[in-house]
Amino acid sequence: MSRKKLGFWTSSSLVIGNMIGSGIFLLPASLASYGSISIFGWIISACGAAALAFVFIEFSKMLPGASGGPYVYSRNGMGDFAGFLVAWGYWISVWCANAAIVIALVSYLGVFFPILQNSNVTAVITGLAIVWGVVWINTKGIREAAIFSLITSILKITPLLAIAIFGLFYINPDNFNSFNISELSNWKALTASATLTFFAYMGIECATIPSGDIENPKRTIPRSTYFGLGIVALVYIFGTSALMGIIPAEELQYSKAPFSDAASIIWGPWAKNLVAIGAIISTLGALNGWILVQGQIPAAISRDKLFPSIFAKENKNGVPALSIIISSVLISVLMIMNYSKGLVKAFQFVLLLSSMTSLLAYLFTSVSYAIVTARDEGIGKGFLLKGVIATTAFLFAIWAIAGSGIEIVYWGFLLLMAGLPLFAWMQIKK
């Protein structure tokens, strides 16, 4: 059965939609505790993201049409075991993060429907309805899911760009005098803010994951990845700069809705609802994009007989529906756990672990790129520049993992090792 493939705009929307989630609406408040030095943190982390983007793009040219993104790239360079670890950790990180995205979405909806803030049962039912509604969209076909992602990406970027652009006219230069208000040295404050902002670029690899469903992947993936990164970086850097110029750092760091506060200053109190709607659309779009990814990764590894075969089964629309459904059952379980008071802290901890395990994919892909390049092209002049970029991407991934904290790294290692029995079982079955 022939399928319509994804073009430039729909592929770009996966990159933009999956990077811009709920975090950007709160992150400027966290960064304000460091002062305007954090703007440089955004720039540094954007450079790290660009290095990673280059690695993924070059790999997509080497393996055009190979779905699976970081999994298939890591496996190509470092073998089955490395590929399995990357896929296992990445898959866990995606459905854990999706549970958090849904919870954030329900929280934003609570602005308009207070019952969601007062009734856990209503909140859970609403969250589950949203998850399974998005699952239904994704099972209709990858193109339908991508079109939905394109629409939500346009809608979510509009209010953020509006504040970033119009906010420039409301900036008070004196607010930037608070260059570093933390108790850290300039270097440590810069490092801390760059590590924090780096997580906002996670998702840069998303155009490579459904590579087999992308039209002319050798051309489309590079263009959509760089375009998506450029748009997101502009929104992040100029949006944060506008907020810090409009609201003094001493106030901004305590804001629960910094973009809403800025919108109120620019356009008046009514604009708060505009930003709340933007946050709802943003989280919904991110959920849609990541649910697509959470089906593609286990399907890719299953085709290589490193995961149970059920994950690779496709429905009549050519979608690994069972892979999406199984992952979404796990999302639902985590959501219910979150609304059980005794398990809230456990859920938050698992969410932190998911960030660390997803960084493993960047780490392995960077090393695999160096291996495959040296293997295919030899270690010559051409390898030097590519090797420098691969090393830069590797160091950024290491830096971000270190920034997760010793305890998270410890438990993250154990979580990855928990997948070993499954790997052993799949090897025995071969």
Side-chain angles (χ1 to χ4, degrees):
M1 179 180 178
S2 62
R3 288 180 275 174
K4 291 183 178 180
K5 297 197 172 186
L6 309 185
F8 169 75
W9 290 109
T10 45
S11 298
S12 298
S13 72
L14 288 178
V15 177
I16 295 170
N18 286 15
M19 275 199 282
I20 299 181
S22 57
I24 183 58
F25 290 91
L26 293 174
L27 197 52
S30 301
L31 294 173
S33 62
Y34 297 103
S36 55
I37 192 173
S38 60
I39 296 172
F40 293 96
W42 274 121
I43 296 171
I44 291 173
S45 57
C47 293
L52 283 165
F54 177 85
V55 170
F56 279 104
I57 285 168
E58 289 300 303
F59 244 136
S60 72
K61 293 176 182 176
M62 295 176 182
L63 302 171
S67 295
Y71 154 68
V72 73
Y73 301 154
S74 298
R75 180 172 180 260
N76 190 263
M78 303 175 71
D80 284 353
F81 183 60
F84 174 83
L85 280 182
V86 167
W88 171 257
Y90 196 81
W91 179 57
I92 290 173
S93 75
V94 171
W95 53 259
C96 284
N98 276 341
I101 289 172
V102 179
I103 292 163
L105 175 54
V106 173
S107 176
Y108 289 131
L109 282 171
V111 173
F112 301 99
F113 306 100
I115 190 173
L116 296 175
Q117 297 177 339
N118 301 321
S119 170
N120 284 346
V121 173
T122 306
V124 169
I125 292 173
T126 302
L128 292 175
I130 292 169
V131 169
W132 291 100
V134 175
V135 167
W136 177 78
I137 292 172
N138 274 265
T139 57
K140 303 304 289 182
I142 191 169
R143 183 173 174 80
E144 284 72 13
I147 290 173
F148 184 75
S149 180
L150 176 60
I151 294 169
T152 53
S153 293
I154 293 170
L155 293 176
K156 78 166 71 175
I157 285 176
T158 302
L160 296 176
L161 275 179
I163 291 173
I165 294 170
F166 289 103
L168 297 176
F169 299 99
Y170 292 82
I171 284 178
N172 180 357
D174 292 339
N175 289 337
F176 291 107
N177 291 335
S178 303
F179 184 69
N180 180 7
I181 62 173
S182 70
E183 297 179 355
L184 303 173
S185 66
N186 285 346
W187 172 249
K188 288 184 177 179
L190 186 63
T191 300
S193 59
T195 303
L196 189 62
T197 56
F198 183 75
F199 287 98
Y201 289 105
M202 291 173 67
I204 188 68
E205 72 285 357
C206 285
T208 68
I209 293 174
S211 183
D213 291 287
I214 291 179
E215 184 180 346
N216 191 4
K218 274 192 173 183
R219 175 177 168 81
T220 302
I221 290 176
R223 291 171 65 225
S224 59
T225 300
Y226 281 134
F227 176 77
L229 174 60
I231 292 294
V232 170
L234 286 174
V235 169
Y236 286 165
I237 295 170
F238 285 97
T240 302
S241 299
L243 261 60
M244 289 185 170
I246 295 171
I247 306 171
E250 294 75 12
E251 297 177 22
L252 183 60
Q253 62 183 309
Y254 297 109
S255 172
K256 294 182 179 179
F259 275 94
S260 292
D261 292 341
S264 294
I265 293 171
I266 298 171
W267 296 296
W270 66 270
K272 277 195 172 185
N273 288 339
L274 175 67
V275 175
I277 292 171
I280 291 169
I281 293 170
S282 181
T283 47
L284 183 61
L287 177 66
N288 174 72
W290 284 112
I291 281 182
L292 185 154
V293 168
Q294 79 178 17
Q296 292 286 324
I297 288 291
I301 190 173
S302 178
R303 295 186 195 103
D304 293 327
K305 303 187 185 304
L306 294 177
F307 227 53
S309 59
I310 190 173
F311 287 89
K313 291 184 178 179
E314 296 184 348
N315 63 11
K316 63 180 182 180
N317 299 315
V319 175
L322 288 175
S323 180
I324 294 174
I325 290 169
I326 292 169
S327 301
S328 298
V329 168
L330 295 170
I331 294 175
S332 302
V333 171
L334 275 184
M335 277 186 58
I336 295 169
M337 285 174 59
N338 181 75
Y339 285 104
S340 173
K341 292 182 180 178
L343 293 172
V344 170
K345 289 185 178 179
F347 174 79
Q348 292 172 340
F349 190 73
V350 170
L351 182 59
L352 287 173
L353 285 179
S354 77
S355 297
M356 199 286 287
T357 52
S358 64
L359 285 167
L360 184 77
Y362 298 157
L363 206 66
F364 275 60
T365 301
S366 301
V367 175
S368 291
Y369 174 65
I371 293 172
V372 173
T373 301
R375 186 176 66 200
D376 295 349
E377 302 177 10
I379 303 178
K381 290 183 179 179
F383 176 77
L384 182 61
L385 177 59
K386 294 179 179 179
V388 168
I389 295 174
T391 301
T392 302
F394 175 84
L395 291 175
F396 262 89
I398 283 283
W399 188 27
I401 289 173
S404 301
I406 294 173
E407 187 179 11
I408 295 299
V409 172
Y410 169 77
W411 286 105
F413 174 78
L414 294 183
L415 181 64
L416 290 171
M417 294 302 100
L420 291 183
L422 177 59
F423 178 78
W425 173 247
M426 296 308 299
Q427 293 297 305
I428 292 169
K429 286 180 64 179
K430 280 188 175 180

